[in-house]
Structure formats: structure tokens, C-alpha cells
Amino acid sequence: MPAPIPRQRAIPAAESGQAQTPAQAAPAVGGPSGDMSGDSSTDTSAAVSGATEAPRTQDTAAEATEAAKNTVTGDKAGNGNSHAPGPGHLTLLMIEDDPGGSPVVPELLDPTGKPIRVRTARNLTEAERLLTDDVHCILLDLALPAPGRAADGTDDELAVLKHVLRIAPHHAVLALTASGDTERGAEAVRVGAQDYLFRDELDGRLLSRAIRYAVERKRSDRAERKLTESKLRAQENARLERGLLPTPLLEGSPLHFAARYRPGRSRALLGGDFYDTVRTPDGTVHAMIGDVCGHGPDEAALGVELRIAWRALTLAGLCGDQLLGTLQQVLEHERSDDEIFATLCTVDIAPDGRRAGLCLAGHPSPLLARPGRPAELLPYDNNGPALGLLPGARWPRMQVELGAEWSLMLYTDGLIEGRVGEGRRERLGQDGMVAMVRRQLAEGLRGEELLRAAVNEVRDLNGGELTDDVAVVMLDRTP
């Protein structure tokens, strides 16, 4: 595009939404705009307003100056979020080195019939100064020289567009090109513009519609991108949390394992409850279930640390009081607050499967079911304190007879603290849970099916999702 002839600039008028033709422009005031690579105006009023407007009428210099003051006031009072148009005016920033010869017609209207305000910049340096938060859309002349563009035009013909997209990544952009240059316009859209327009075919109605479309498309693109990023982040978190759930190590054991896990946090896969089961080389099966107080991600992370520590210590040969004492040291070092504690239940089942050792650290006692007998809770008289409450605490290990055929259910308090009854003023409690499981066993439910039915019934009795984490583990032995 030929270099424009330096000429004087008009005093900016109020942003009324009516862009002007050259015949309507006010008399030029101020010095010449000779340097096209920098700020092209020495007009004090234009510099104060931060926007170069085309006057609507043959204003006098005094009237134009007053209008410029109104522009400043209007800009400062405008909608702060220009990318989501509210009740205020839409604002267009036109970047063209010959705004006086612009084809923009006198009136541009937004969807509500309000005038679209127009600002003009003669080069990219001035455009950066005028690119304030209340600008909604940019109309860019692709023929405008770009920084670093070769004089012979052999370099990137869309360099000016790419520069604008870098300095205005959140603004809608309309590309203005020569009539019939469809290929260049389509390439501009591919690079990042919302649409392209032909310079010689432009009129007010077309431009108004294009501005509205570009703003809405940009907003839609940003919303879609945020939604995609949110989905990807959720999928990544889900994979991470799923990977933190344990895989039982029971190879070579005749015992059957089942588990159900439901975090209390919304849209989470991992909560403060944790469990694990491993078989040591001597044939002993060790099972554990625990609960870190609280329901946030920090508690979930601490639960994972305790579970991994338990597995490592168990495979190293520790059990009972020695194991729990070491876990308490881990908890004390890893917790973010001295008031955080964790309850724990550990069971070590002998290789013959007929007896087990039980340790309770402030945790509910497991439920034992055997053929011909009602399901019952294991003894909890020697229940020790929760981990992290008492320095130097001890946790006695109780010996329990299981028999030849049995089912052992370990659970966290989320299963027994759901609300029940009219008005849901009461808790289900351990007695209510025992009665529920007895009935489900009588109905022939076993293993995974029984756990699923138990968790679903507790949720139904509660009248909706449980607020606490729930973890349930079942170990079965059949002859």
C-alpha cells in the first residue's frame, strides 16, 4: 500500500458510535503526523483521550475539545470487561493508515440498536496505546506495514495480523483486505481472525453485523477452549486419582477380595479414606482401612501417603503396635496441621485363614459373617487412640477366631454416619448397619454385590449423596 501523505488530525469527538466520512470531519487542529512508526499525533486533546474519533459535525475547535473530554469520561465509565459486552456500547478499534479514506459509513449499531463506538489508529504503535479493556473488536487493514516487514513484500503477508493477535489475544479481530482477495482473507481466518471483509464492498450494515458476529464468535471460542481445558484437566486428575487407588497384592491367596469407594468431595475420585490388602511371603494376608479427618485434597494426599507407608512397612515385616507406631510418625511429619489425625483398622489373617490379629486405632470394628450365625462386630474393647492424637500411644493386638468359612467387612465411618428416619435426625450407626447387612446376607448377597447394595441403601436412607467419604472392603473365605 502506498505510504500515506502526512496530514493533520482532527480533534477527537465524543464516542457517539457514529463514524464519519471525510466530508463530515471537523477542521484539522494540531501539528502534522509525519512519523508513521510512532505516535502520529501531537494533538494534546487526542493524547488525553486515548482515542482518535471522526467528528460527527462541523464542530468548532472548542466544541471538539469539549467532546474529547466527554470521550475520556465515557471511556473510564465503560464496561470493564470488553470481551463480554454488557449493557454499554460496543467499541471498535480500526487500525488503518488512512482513516480519513475509510469506507466506514456514518452509523454502526449493536444488537440493541445502540451506536458502536469507533476508534482509529494509523499504525501498530498507536494501536497498542488505544487497545484498552473496553475495546471489543479490532478492524485491521492487512495492507498495513508490520514490524520487520521487507520493503519488497517477500516476507509473510500476514505478519501484521499475527502481530495484532499477539498483542490482543483476547479481542475479536476482523481482517480488511482488497476486494476479490478471498485466498488472503481465508488465510487470515485460519491464522486467527474471526472473519474477513473486502474493503471496497464494506457498508455500515455489513460492518455492524460483522462486528457483532466476530465478538460473539470470539467469546464462543474462548468458552469452548476453557471447557476443553477443563475437561482435559478433569481427565488428567481422574487418571491421577485412579492410579493412586490400590491394587490388592493377593497372588496365591484363596481369599476373595472386593471393595467399594465413594469420596465425599464433589466430582472427585479420591477422598481422605484409604485401604489396602497385601499377602506377605509367609502366606499371611494383611488388610487395612483408614480415614484421615477432613474431606479435601490435602487429606486425600495424606491418606495416599499413609497407605503407601503401610504397604511398605507391612512387606518389610512390621505389624501390630510397631507398625502403627511407625505410621503415627509418618502422619506427624506429613500432616499440615497438628490437629489432623487418622483412624485405622488393621487385620492380619493367618495362612490357614482360620484366625486373625486385629488392631484398632480409633476406628470402628470390622463386621464378621459366618454361616449359621448372625453377622456381628468383632470385639473393640482394646481400641487404641487414633493416629496423631497421643504421642507414644500403644495399640494392642487382639487375636480373633474366624473359622473355616467367613466374610469379613472393613469400613469407614462414612457408612454408618448417614442420616435415617423421618426428618433424618438420627444416624444409621453400627447397629443399623449390622441389621442392614444381616438382611442383605439373608437375601443371598455376597462380595461386590453386597458392598454395592450396602452403599446404595445407606445413600438412599440418607436421602441423597453422603457428605463423608465411604470405603468398604470385603474379604471372603470359602472351603
Side-chain angles (χ1 to χ4, degrees):
M1 188 173 185
I5 300 174
R7 63 195 191 94
Q8 294 176 323
R9 299 178 62 186
I11 295 288
E15 289 183 334
S16 63
Q18 296 182 348
Q20 306 306 311
T21 62
Q24 293 172 307
V29 178
S33 53
D35 183 7
M36 299 306 293
S37 63
D39 187 353
S40 59
S41 175
T42 58
D43 183 354
T44 306
S45 299
V48 172
S49 69
T52 306
E53 306 296 337
R56 290 176 295 170
T57 61
Q58 296 284 346
D59 293 333
T60 64
E63 290 171 338
T65 303
E66 182 62 28
K69 295 178 181 178
N70 294 336
T71 299
V72 177
T73 305
D75 282 347
K76 292 181 179 179
N79 186 359
N81 184 2
S82 62
H83 315 303
H89 293 271
L90 283 172
T91 301
L92 173 71
L93 174 60
M94 183 170 59
I95 309 176
E96 187 180 32
D97 59 3
D98 188 15
S102 171
V104 178
V105 295
E107 186 168 301
L108 301 174
L109 302 177
D110 67 12
T112 64
K114 295 180 180 178
I116 297 176
R117 300 184 297 187
V118 179
R119 295 179 182 175
T120 58
R122 298 185 183 184
N123 52 63
L124 295 178
T125 302
E126 187 176 356
E128 291 190 48
R129 178 172 61 84
L130 302 182
L131 192 60
T132 53
D133 288 341
D134 59 340
V135 172
H136 302 91
C137 184
I138 298 172
L139 179 62
L140 173 67
D141 188 349
L142 295 181
L144 193 71
R149 183 171 181 178
D152 58 3
T154 57
D155 59 341
D156 189 355
E157 63 179 5
L158 294 178
V160 64
L161 172 61
K162 294 176 181 178
H163 180 82
V164 168
L165 293 175
R166 283 195 298 270
I167 66 174
H170 303 303
H171 291 75
V173 177
L174 289 171
L176 191 62
T177 187
S179 298
D181 196 357
T182 305
E183 184 176 348
R184 189 180 188 187
E187 182 67 10
V189 173
R190 189 192 67 78
V191 168
Q194 274 59 60
D195 203 351
Y196 67 92
L197 303 169
F198 295 137
R199 186 182 302 103
D200 298 337
E201 299 178 8
L202 199 61
D203 59 32
R205 183 178 180 184
L206 174 62
L207 181 56
S208 296
R209 184 170 67 249
I211 293 171
R212 298 196 299 268
Y213 168 77
V215 170
E216 291 304 320
R217 181 175 177 181
K218 184 67 175 183
R219 180 164 54 181
S220 176
D221 290 346
R222 293 180 66 200
E224 184 177 356
R225 184 167 58 254
K226 288 182 179 179
L227 179 61
T228 300
E229 291 173 354
S230 177
K231 287 181 178 179
L232 292 175
R233 189 162 49 249
Q235 292 171 0
E236 183 67 23
N237 289 341
R239 286 193 295 269
L240 176 62
E241 292 186 357
R242 196 176 295 114
L244 292 175
L245 289 174
T247 300
L249 299 179
L250 291 175
E251 185 177 356
S253 173
L255 302 183
H256 301 285
F257 173 88
R260 295 290 290 178
Y261 192 93
R262 185 188 296 272
R265 286 188 297 141
S266 175
R267 293 177 293 183
L269 295 179
L270 200 64
D273 290 2
F274 54 99
Y275 66 88
D276 205 351
T277 306
V278 299
R279 180 176 182 266
T280 49
D282 64 355
T284 302
V285 172
H286 302 261
M288 171 272 291
I289 196 165
D291 181 4
V292 178
C293 65
H295 315 293
D298 291 340
E299 289 75 14
L302 182 56
V304 171
E305 291 181 88
L306 292 175
R307 178 186 68 77
I308 295 174
W310 177 88
R311 174 176 284 201
L313 294 170
T314 299
L315 292 175
L318 274 67
C319 67
D321 187 71
Q322 188 180 12
L323 171 61
L324 292 176
T326 307
L327 282 179
Q328 174 159 280
Q329 293 180 35
V330 173
L331 171 66
E332 291 171 346
H333 283 90
E334 296 297 330
R335 62 185 176 183
S336 59
D337 190 290
D338 289 344
E339 296 183 357
I340 293 179
F341 62 90
T343 65
L344 198 70
C345 168
T346 66
V347 177
D348 53 279
I349 302 170
D352 64 5
R354 291 180 170 273
R355 61 189 184 280
L358 172 67
C359 285
L360 298 174
H363 200 88
S365 183
L367 180 70
L368 177 64
R370 292 172 286 192
R373 304 183 187 182
E376 60 182 357
L377 297 174
L378 292 180
Y380 51 89
D381 297 337
N382 290 329
N383 196 341
L387 302 181
L389 290 183
L390 298 176
R394 303 297 299 272
W395 296 271
R397 179 176 176 272
M398 297 174 285
Q399 195 72 21
V400 179
E401 294 296 324
L402 300 177
E405 183 177 353
W406 47 264
S407 295
L408 187 64
M409 189 176 84
L410 287 66
Y411 54 92
T412 57
D413 58 7
L415 188 68
I416 60 178
E417 291 187 351
R419 300 288 179 173
V420 297
E422 185 177 354
R424 296 185 172 83
R425 296 188 180 92
E426 300 179 358
R427 303 272 187 186
L428 175 64
Q430 287 183 294
D431 291 341
M433 181 203 66
V434 171
M436 177 187 70
V437 173
R438 285 176 177 175
R439 174 172 46 78
Q440 293 170 342
L441 287 169
E443 295 171 357
L445 300 181
R446 296 292 186 276
E448 177 72 24
E449 190 179 13
L450 185 145
L451 297 187
R452 184 185 304 110
V455 173
N456 289 342
E457 183 169 337
V458 169
R459 182 186 58 186
D460 293 341
L461 291 172
N462 189 62
E465 290 294 340
L466 301 166
T467 57
D468 198 2
D469 304 326
V470 177
V472 194
V473 171
M474 178 77 77
L475 290 169
D476 293 299
R477 183 178 189 272
T478 57

